[in-house]
Amino acid sequence: MATRRALVVGETPSLGRAIWDLLDVGGVAAEYVGRLEDAAPLPDPPSEFPVVIAAASGPYCATARTWSQGVGPGTALIVVGSRDPAVARLPRVHQVPLPLVPDELLSLVRRLLDRTGTAPP
């Protein structure tokens, strides 16, 4: 069985890479993609990627909009930075504002991975 890990979607590439680096330093296994569609297959069902992190510092979050169409049932989505009003209405979505507090994000990711039965190393 493949290692389950977080998937970082870098809609804002610099923010996405910074989050990926933070997870790496924090001992949380993660993969980075530029768009959710670049993850093959999409996290449905949540086997390998029980947590998806959208790094989107703008007013619109494409990953969250895709989520609103039913992608990723059973998978948790963390949206970092976006002010997209659609995000607040979505189930299984956690919003993390900027500026980012690294320990809080790591704690949230670990907690969500633990809920799915996967503990980070």
Side-chain angles (χ1 to χ4, degrees):
M1 182 170 132
T3 300
R4 291 164 48 135
R5 56 197 188 270
L7 177 66
V8 179
V9 181
E11 291 184 33
T12 302
S14 58
L15 178 59
R17 287 291 180 189
I19 291 170
W20 185 87
D21 286 341
L22 172 66
L23 295 175
D24 185 47
V25 169
V28 177
E31 182 175 321
Y32 176 90
V33 294
R35 302 173 314 137
L36 184 60
E37 294 78 15
D38 294 340
L42 292 177
D44 183 14
S47 56
E48 190 175 355
F49 301 112
V51 176
V52 174
I53 303 166
S57 61
Y60 177 85
C61 180
T63 303
R65 297 294 175 120
T66 300
W67 224 254
S68 70
Q69 298 169 10
V71 171
T75 302
L77 174 63
I78 301 170
V79 176
V80 178
S82 180
R83 300 171 304 279
D84 190 336
V87 173
R89 298 186 302 266
L90 297 174
R92 302 177 329 276
V93 175
H94 306 266
Q95 284 186 285
V96 175
L98 294 176
L100 185 63
V101 179
D103 288 339
E104 289 180 13
L105 179 62
L106 281 171
S107 176
L108 175 61
V109 171
R110 287 183 177 123
R111 193 169 61 249
L112 292 172
L113 286 172
D114 285 346
R115 282 188 194 162
T116 64
T118 302

